[in-house]
Amino acid sequence: VKPQNGGSSIGVYIVNSRQELEEKIKKVFEIDEYAIIEPFCEGKEFTLIVLDGVALVQTEIEFAGDTLFDYRKKYLATGDTRYHTPARFSRSVIQEIRSQAQKIFALLEMRDMARMDGWIMPDGNIWFSDINAISGMEQNSFLFQQPAMLGMSHRQTLEYILNKKIRSGIIDASKKDIPIIFGGSSAERQVSIMSGTNVYIKLKSSKKYRPVPYFFSRNGKFFSVPHFLCLHHTAEEIEERIGQFQNPEYLDLIRFWQREILPKLGIDLSEIDEPIFLPEAFTMEQLAKKYTFFFLGLHGSPGEDGTFQRKLDKLGVRYNGPGAEASKLCMDKYETGKRIEDADISGVRTAKKMLVNTDDGAEEIWNRLMKKGFPQS
């Protein structure tokens, strides 16, 4: 059950009984005057971009948990969702989906671009469930991820939509290479993916600097990665793709689709901004010999708590943000508050704080709070 006029899976519900239908349809009517009821669809879900009548290679959507690809799964980085570009379908199935999408694009007299969502049903039939005239345009959306697999940058993708052609990337040797470090193993690694990729994309337009993305893996290695990998939604996906690139067949598959699709778009392989290459592993010491400055896009430990900063200081490499001691202090919210209290600066205050650990029981914590004068409401 879903709104007639809506998108992004907002107000979409699965119902299995009359009682559930009565309950959920009321929620839909809070959003829209009309509700659509459709049969539940099971199979393999995909989405693909069509540029000016030429279908790219679809992305397979895999998710765990319940069976609805809802708003949270679509837009929030979560380990429950995986995007596989290219889809893990046979070449013949990928070609059939592309062919049907191109026919739909022509039949509906669409132009410029579209995103088409669909399913491969258990019996092998292909269903197209949703035609989007305007695709999402966040930095790692399918509109950018699928062209990135062909080597196209954000700029080139948008230029193609506007002009049906692109300007080839010109390498300016006078620009200074700046490594952008993102990823990591902390609970904030997904935010780091967004931060690092955003910095990388913004710096692409710089006349002075050339950003070079480096993914910091959970095993402590720095991987040079192509633009295509930066646009994956989670750190786990990026690590999986780095592993896939170690298989020569994966890179051969991407090369195949480049040769298949780029000529149909009127784009020569030499014109693309973002070549696809095999990720290479480095240590911090090796990168320190290549660069004099690191842009840290990491969140949490060890990139934000002074650990990296201390190592970079020893290696004589400059970086953005505060030094090792200030970074360590600011990561510790309790110690930061204590320092502010001890400084006793007029007009500067901090919230009252008390440290507890996993061994403390609720009653013990409550009694300590009362003794320290915490308000009860």
Side-chain angles (χ1 to χ4, degrees):
V1 184
K2 63 185 181 182
Q4 179 188 22
N5 302 290
S8 298
S9 296
I10 297 172
V12 179
Y13 301 97
I14 298 173
V15 299
N16 295 286
S17 66
R18 175 178 174 176
Q19 182 180 350
E20 285 186 354
L21 176 61
E22 287 185 22
E23 175 189 339
K24 301 303 183 185
I25 204 166
K26 288 178 182 178
K27 293 182 179 293
V28 176
F29 286 145
E30 292 175 2
I31 299 173
D32 199 343
E33 183 180 1
Y34 293 96
I36 294 176
I37 300 177
E38 297 177 331
F40 181 75
C41 195
E42 290 186 89
K44 295 179 179 178
E45 189 167 359
F46 66 81
T47 186
L48 99 145
I49 299 297
V50 182
L51 289 180
D52 199 35
V54 178
L56 306 188
V57 177
Q58 64 263 198
T59 298
E60 176 191 358
I61 300 167
E62 175 191 17
F63 52 88
D66 58 50
T67 50
L68 180 63
F69 188 36
D70 60 16
Y71 182 87
R72 291 182 63 84
K73 287 188 177 73
K74 287 184 175 181
Y75 296 108
L76 299 180
T78 169
D80 290 339
T81 307
R82 289 285 195 277
Y83 301 106
H84 302 277
T85 310
R88 298 173 299 179
F89 309 151
S90 68
R91 290 190 188 183
S92 60
V93 170
I94 289 177
Q95 290 285 36
E96 180 61 22
I97 292 172
R98 293 184 61 242
S99 176
Q100 290 193 24
Q102 289 171 172
K103 290 177 182 177
I104 292 171
F105 193 92
L107 179 68
L108 298 180
E109 298 183 355
M110 304 186 82
R111 66 183 189 189
D112 298 330
M113 67 172 177
R115 196 193 79 237
M116 301 188 186
D117 305 329
W119 297 79
I120 299 179
M121 305 300 288
D123 62 4
N125 282 321
I126 297 169
W127 281 19
F128 284 87
S129 57
D130 197 10
I131 312 298
N132 299 271
I134 301 293
S135 173
M137 297 184 193
E138 61 273 20
Q139 67 185 30
N140 58 358
S141 71
F142 300 116
L143 177 65
F144 298 119
Q145 188 185 111
Q146 291 180 14
M149 193 200 78
L150 305 175
M152 295 170 64
S153 65
H154 285 62
R155 173 181 65 84
Q156 289 183 316
T157 299
L158 294 173
E159 280 185 348
Y160 189 86
I161 292 169
L162 290 169
N163 305 313
K164 306 302 179 288
K165 60 182 180 180
I166 63 173
R167 288 179 289 134
S168 60
I170 300 174
I171 298 176
D172 185 350
S174 66
K175 287 187 177 182
K176 182 178 181 180
D177 287 344
I178 299 291
I180 313 298
I181 313 296
F182 63 99
S185 58
S186 77
E188 299 175 80
R189 60 188 178 277
Q190 314 303 2
V191 180
S192 176
I193 301 298
M194 292 187 286
S195 294
T197 301
N198 193 42
V199 171
Y200 163 65
I201 292 171
K202 296 294 193 295
L203 272 182
K204 287 282 292 182
S205 61
S206 170
K207 295 181 179 179
K208 186 175 181 180
Y209 302 110
R210 181 188 301 106
V212 185
Y214 282 89
F215 175 76
F216 182 56
S217 68
R218 284 175 290 182
N219 64 4
K221 293 182 179 179
F222 299 85
F223 285 90
S224 60
V225 291
H227 175 72
F228 171 52
L229 292 196
C230 297
L231 303 189
H232 285 67
H233 291 68
T234 66
E236 291 76 13
E237 281 184 352
I238 295 175
E239 291 208 34
E240 287 176 7
R241 298 301 166 267
I242 289 173
Q244 280 185 291
F245 266 98
Q246 307 312 308
N247 182 350
E249 292 182 1
Y250 185 71
L251 190 55
D252 289 344
L253 181 62
I254 292 178
R255 301 284 190 226
F256 170 82
W257 290 117
Q258 285 181 316
R259 294 192 299 269
E260 174 72 18
I261 297 173
L262 287 174
K264 291 180 172 62
L265 292 170
I267 299 172
D268 189 83
L269 188 60
S270 64
E271 295 179 307
I272 60 174
D273 270 349
E274 301 287 356
I276 304 296
F277 58 85
L278 184 69
E280 184 179 357
F282 295 87
T283 64
M284 180 180 284
E285 289 73 18
Q286 288 172 325
L287 291 182
K289 293 178 181 179
K290 290 169 61 74
Y291 306 105
T292 59
F293 183 94
F294 278 27
F295 194 105
L296 300 179
L298 295 162
H299 295 273
S301 177
E304 197 179 3
D305 66 355
T307 304
F308 268 26
Q309 289 83 352
R310 192 170 292 106
K311 290 180 180 179
L312 292 173
D313 286 342
K314 289 182 179 179
L315 291 168
V317 177
R318 297 172 59 226
Y319 50 87
N320 57 299
E325 292 307 312
S327 296
K328 180 181 179 181
L329 172 64
C330 291
M331 273 292 290
D332 187 331
K333 294 177 174 58
Y334 180 80
E335 186 61 27
T336 301
K338 189 172 180 298
R339 292 283 188 94
I340 291 173
E341 286 182 351
D342 293 344
D344 194 24
I345 302 171
S346 176
V348 178
R349 301 174 62 191
T350 183
K352 186 183 289 291
K353 296 176 177 64
M354 185 181 80
L355 276 183
V356 298
N357 61 46
T358 54
D359 295 328
D360 297 335
E363 186 174 350
E364 178 190 349
I365 293 173
W366 181 260
N367 290 334
R368 285 172 57 195
L369 287 171
M370 294 303 97
K371 286 182 180 179
K372 286 184 173 289
F374 275 71
Q376 294 188 46
S377 60

